[in-house]
Structures are given as C-alpha cells and as structure tokens.
Amino acid sequence: MSEWKDKIRGNWNQVKGKLKQEYGELTDDDLVYEEGKEEELIGRIQQKIGQSKDELKDWIDSL
C-alpha cells in the first residue's frame, strides 16, 4: 500500500487541515473521506485544485 493512503487512513484530520490551509477553495464536502474510496477522494480534490493526482499524492506523502 502506498504511503499517501496510509496517511489518509491514519491521520485524515491532520491531512484535511493541511489541505484546507494550503488550498482555501476546498470545502468540507470536497474532503469527505470514506474507507476504501481514497482514489475518489483524491480525484475530487485534484479536480478542485487543478493539480495532477500524482502531484497531490506526492504532496500528501511529504506531510
């Protein structure tokens, strides 16, 4: 399993807070996490902020 998925599962509230700080346009609806649907979550965020999925995953890994 990739590191970004582990971070989302284990520390979602922390990751969510950092995402909101970095990307103020994200809403709580954009950041709803459901177990097993990490790719959908990344897709929603990626669409909203205009970064590629790989860039977003790398950013999460760097936290």
Side-chain angles (χ1 to χ4, degrees), residues 2-3 6 8 10-12 16 26 34 38 40 43 45-47 54-55 60-62:
S2 62
E3 186 177 331
D6 288 340
I8 287 176
N11 303 308
W12 177 239
K16 180 178 166 179
L26 292 172
E34 293 180 52
E38 292 86 1
E40 284 182 30
I45 296 168
Q46 177 261 327
Q47 263 189 327
D54 288 336
E55 288 172 323
I60 292 170
D61 281 343
S62 74

Side-chain angles (χ1 to χ4, degrees), residues 27-62:
T27 66
D28 287 334
D29 288 341
D30 296 325
L31 299 171
V32 172
Y33 169 68
E34 293 180 52
E35 184 76 30
K37 295 189 175 183
E38 292 86 1
E39 288 288 343
E40 284 182 30
L41 172 66
I42 292 295
R44 277 196 314 271
I45 296 168
Q46 177 261 327
Q47 263 189 327
K48 187 86 176 218
I49 64 173
Q51 286 190 355
S52 73
K53 285 186 179 184
D54 288 336
E55 288 172 323
L56 183 55
K57 290 174 184 178
D58 289 346
W59 186 84
I60 292 170
D61 281 343
S62 74

